[in-house]
Amino acid sequence: LALRATCFGAVALAFPISGALVFGAGLDRHQAADALAVIYCVGLISGVFAVLLPLPSLRAWTRAQRVESAALVFLGMSYVTHLSWELGWLLLKDAIAANPDAPWAYAWWAYIDGGDARYAVGDTLLVAMELLSVTNGTVGALALARFLRSGRQDLAARLALGATAVVHLYSASLYYASELLTGLPNVGDGFISVYIKFGLANSLWVLAPFFVFRFVYDGLWPAPREVTQASA
């Protein structure tokens, strides 16, 4: 879908453009990070759930097809995030913390500034959660590749994708709870920091797993009416 390409493309371009404006044009780093957070949240959420919109090109799609599309796009996006931003942080966390003003570290500091200061100190619980996420992303990426190569017929791969969604939901819930129960000491003040950077930016990993669970369920027990429509 063109809408999805636009949404995800905007997110991908927002990082280098934001960095260029901060380090090349002197834009305030916090303002740039706030704008980046809004683009990131709107872009990812819209990209994942675009298939649920009443678009003319989707009128013939069944509910199961829409759920599957949202689930697979979320999983693919999530695995890319785990194996890029999160893996990069695990490997470079000490260097990132020591270089808050370095252009190469801006992709992480744009979130650390207001979103969650735990990424600047290498909180042990956060390290454990990110290790879990990277492992989950690796397993999921392999399962997704196998599922797509099988023509979306491999049952074991489908179940593995569902299992990674369980981990997504667990780790995201733990991430939220570990900060909320202590009164948000590591989140900055203001609407953007609390509700966009910390809240909305991580919400997909709590909401979208339920679409994955339904996608797995539909693969195990497809509705006869929708099977007929999909094959027509």
Side-chain angles (χ1 to χ4, degrees):
L1 292 173
L3 178 57
R4 272 182 168 159
T6 301
C7 291
F8 290 125
V11 172
L13 290 175
F15 281 90
I17 291 175
S18 180
L21 291 175
V22 171
F23 297 100
L27 183 67
D28 179 78
R29 62 182 289 159
H30 295 284
Q31 292 180 350
D34 287 350
L36 175 59
V38 172
I39 294 171
Y40 176 88
C41 292
V42 173
L44 289 192
I45 293 173
S46 299
V48 170
F49 295 127
V51 74
L52 305 181
L53 297 174
L55 301 174
S57 60
L58 300 175
R59 285 175 182 169
W61 284 43
T62 65
R63 177 200 52 78
Q65 288 174 313
R66 290 172 184 259
V67 169
E68 178 179 290
S69 180
L72 293 180
V73 169
F74 161 71
L75 290 173
M77 177 277 298
S78 186
Y79 302 150
V80 169
T81 301
H82 297 326
L83 299 177
S84 57
W85 195 93
E86 294 175 70
L87 176 59
W89 180 78
L90 281 174
L91 296 175
L92 302 170
K93 62 182 184 298
D94 293 335
I96 291 169
N99 294 277
D101 298 316
W104 67 266
Y106 180 73
W108 292 276
W109 275 98
Y111 181 67
I112 296 172
D113 286 337
D116 193 337
R118 289 179 293 178
Y119 281 95
V121 297
D123 178 85
T124 53
L125 176 61
L126 194 62
V127 171
M129 286 191 290
E130 294 295 13
L131 283 169
L132 177 63
S133 291
V134 169
T135 302
N136 196 46
T138 303
V139 173
L142 294 173
L144 182 58
R146 175 173 170 174
F147 181 72
L148 295 177
R149 282 200 303 266
S150 72
R152 306 189 181 195
Q153 300 300 314
D154 192 306
L155 180 58
R158 184 186 290 265
L159 292 173
L161 294 175
T164 67
V166 174
V167 178
H168 286 143
L169 181 58
Y170 168 76
S171 59
S173 299
L174 179 60
Y175 176 76
Y176 275 129
S178 63
E179 184 67 9
L180 288 169
L181 292 176
T182 55
L184 299 176
N186 299 293
V187 179
D189 297 326
F191 180 84
I192 295 293
S193 292
V194 175
Y195 295 101
I196 302 298
K197 283 188 180 181
F198 176 75
L200 196 59
N202 300 288
S203 62
L204 266 177
W205 283 266
V206 174
L207 300 175
F210 292 98
F211 284 79
V212 180
F213 300 152
R214 184 68 202 200
F215 149 73
V216 173
Y217 177 88
D218 288 341
L220 297 175
W221 298 283
R225 182 176 61 85
E226 293 198 334
V227 170
T228 302
Q229 289 180 350
S231 60

